[in-house]
Amino acid sequence: MSSTAESAPAGRSEQLWTVEEHAADILAAIRPLAPIDLPLADAQGCVLVEDVVVQASLPPFDNSSMDGYAVRVADLSGATEEFPAVLTVVGDVAAGSAELPEVGPGQAARIMTGAPLPPGAEAVVPVEWTDGGAGGGAVVSMLPAGTAPGGDSGEVRVYRSAEARAHVRAAGSAVQAGELALEAGTVLGPPQIGLLAAVGRGTVRVRPRPRVVVLSTGSELVQPGEQLAHGQIHDSNSFALAAAARDAGALAYRVGAVADDADTLRSTIEDQLVRADLLVTTGGVSVGAYDVVKEALSSVGDEDEPGSGIDFRKLAMQPGKPQGFGSIGVEHTPLLALPGNPVSSYVSFELFVRPAIRAMMGVPEVHRPVVRAKLAYDEPLSSPRGRRQFLRAKYDAKAGEAAPVGGAGSHLVAALAHADCLVVVDEDTVTVQPGTELDVVLLG
């Protein structure tokens, strides 16, 4: 694999991996989850692995799109408010009705929205075009069943003519039998779930949503809602990354902060493997004396199993230089180790973890969309040579501009909360002038 070198303290040189190299290594090791059959109610957010073909036309029969009266067109010829057509009501047709009255010459049937068009009827007139059977002028709504004069019989006055098939939804007008309802690769959202239910599918074959376990490390971390002692901070990373995993389509499980103890961390990870398709840790991957993730996982690989274990790297990026990736456990569950600074961990998630989740789901496009936009800032911005910088920013699609928010510090979580994109400054650029056009990764 290619790499770039950069001078380090004490005359050492350290290997720096590019963002592309690290991302490619991760995706090369990720495999889509095996397909399973799920009940429709459990399939939301999953990806279809089969084409769904309509077995029966939808709707399966001609039905009314209005509350009103099913009529024959010839009986309404010349009908006006002054000279209405007077028809004999022969029955009610409600949605779900099995026995339908036949509409003959000079007759009508009360019909409700979604009810099947009765034999003999050619059109539906809205109730607002009639007197509703009450014998007065035009009404605005249908009287409840059994309360109209004469019940579902008597007479109705119709004040307008109608064309054939007026207010009738034809059988198969939504989809025809044999048509492709949804194709393999479709992510099942609410409209797709509704369509599957409408065409009668009770189960569907999908790739399941990956189960992602997020662990944050650090003895200084305290759960939100608890009182802080001197030197402590609230654990925000596990909440942010679990939310990001859910946003990517995963089932996320958050593990409270693990203290800086290698044995405790290894034990915690082993306990979590039973429910994890992917493990994500945050913190403890740099070169400090208490970087517990690196200490705990540097030697967990199986020497007889190629590719197992965790590889810790330094990347030519800012923020997010220290990274780790590999597999752990007998099932070789993928593990991504992210830095602990809040912005570093989130940017790393977007670049490396989110694509891995999407690849597990079997989604064809795993990356966030990238657009070109001009830098909207009052003064030039600096960027470290040899590092690809990711600036948090607000994107204005109409203006084609991205305005940075906050500074470059990897701890500035408040600025991150106001960003909806990442502005990308390449490794060879040290100064960016206002108005420069750059790549922008859209996060929304």
Side-chain angles (χ1 to χ4, degrees):
M1 244 179 239
S2 64
S3 62
T4 57
E6 179 175 288
S7 60
R12 291 188 297 107
S13 64
E14 59 180 356
Q15 181 177 9
L16 289 180
W17 302 80
T18 67
V19 172
E20 287 87 358
E21 288 170 340
H22 190 61
D25 283 351
I26 292 171
L27 290 179
I30 295 295
R31 297 290 179 269
L33 298 180
I36 60 175
D37 293 310
L38 283 181
L40 199 56
D42 299 329
Q44 183 173 352
C46 297
V47 177
L48 274 177
V49 296
E50 60 177 348
D51 289 341
V52 175
V53 176
V54 179
Q55 299 300 313
S57 296
L58 184 68
F61 48 81
D62 290 351
N63 68 91
S64 177
S65 66
M66 305 288 289
D67 293 329
Y69 289 84
V71 297
R72 296 163 65 96
V73 172
D75 292 333
L76 304 186
S77 179
T80 64
E81 291 189 12
E82 186 178 1
F83 300 104
V86 181
L87 306 177
T88 301
V89 179
V90 295
D92 270 4
V93 186
S97 293
E99 296 184 7
L100 305 177
E102 183 167 355
V103 177
Q107 296 178 337
R110 293 209 319 165
I111 192 168
M112 314 308 152
T113 302
L117 191 69
E122 301 167 329
V124 172
V125 292
V127 66
E128 295 88 347
W129 295 6
T130 77
D131 68 351
V139 296
V140 295
S141 64
M142 189 79 75
L143 291 171
T147 64
D152 59 2
S153 60
E155 293 182 338
V156 63
R157 288 170 171 78
V158 183
Y159 301 113
R160 293 176 57 177
S161 60
E163 296 180 354
R165 309 294 293 176
H167 307 296
V168 174
R169 293 186 290 225
S173 56
V175 288
Q176 295 277 350
E179 287 184 354
L180 180 66
L182 295 172
E183 62 182 358
T186 300
V187 179
L188 299 181
Q192 293 76 30
I193 294 289
L195 175 57
L196 289 168
V199 300
R201 289 295 295 264
T203 61
V204 65
R205 193 157 184 79
V206 296
R207 295 195 191 278
R209 298 168 65 190
R211 300 167 301 164
V212 176
V213 174
V214 177
L215 303 93
S216 56
T217 65
S219 297
E220 79 281 10
L221 299 178
V222 174
Q223 295 305 298
E226 296 181 9
Q227 194 69 29
L228 293 177
H230 181 69
Q232 294 182 325
I233 60 173
H234 286 122
D235 172 21
S236 63
N237 284 357
S238 66
F239 286 91
L241 297 188
R246 284 189 290 270
D247 182 70
L251 299 171
Y253 304 101
R254 190 191 66 84
V255 178
V258 180
D260 288 324
D261 178 80
D263 291 336
T264 300
L265 177 60
R266 276 193 293 264
S267 176
T268 301
I269 289 176
E270 289 171 1
D271 289 343
Q272 294 299 320
L273 285 173
V274 68
R275 64 171 180 174
D277 297 308
L278 175 67
L279 285 158
V280 179
T281 67
T282 172
V285 294
S286 191
V287 293
Y290 294 95
D291 285 324
V292 64
V293 173
K294 199 169 185 180
E295 178 187 353
L297 301 181
S298 290
S299 59
V300 297
D302 183 350
E303 62 182 15
D304 297 324
E305 185 67 32
S308 68
I310 309 301
D311 181 22
F312 291 93
R313 300 172 170 177
K314 294 180 174 64
L315 269 59
M317 63 180 286
Q318 185 187 57
K321 180 179 179 182
Q323 301 283 337
F325 170 68
S327 65
I328 190 168
V330 294
E331 299 294 331
H332 303 293
T333 303
L335 184 148
L336 279 82
L338 311 183
N341 284 319
V343 176
S344 297
S345 68
Y346 183 73
V347 171
S348 300
F349 181 97
E350 287 291 337
L351 296 180
F352 308 123
V353 183
R354 192 177 195 278
I357 291 173
R358 306 291 283 176
M360 285 183 160
M361 295 174 63
V363 177
E365 178 52 63
V366 300
H367 297 289
R368 293 281 199 182
V370 177
V371 299
R372 297 285 287 180
K374 294 179 180 179
L375 181 70
Y377 210 63
D378 294 335
E379 57 188 39
L381 292 178
S382 62
S383 186
R385 184 179 297 278
R387 300 282 196 275
R388 181 174 302 180
Q389 186 170 199
F390 296 88
L391 299 170
R392 283 71 66 200
K394 290 282 289 183
Y395 176 60
D396 184 338
K398 187 175 181 179
E401 295 179 340
V405 293
S410 56
H411 63 291
L412 299 175
V413 67
L416 179 63
H418 298 285
D420 59 13
C421 68
L422 298 174
V423 173
V424 184
V425 182
D426 66 38
E427 294 87 340
D428 297 326
T429 301
V430 294
T431 302
V432 185
Q433 297 293 335
T436 302
E437 191 173 78
L438 300 165
D439 281 346
V440 174
V441 181
L442 303 182
L443 302 179

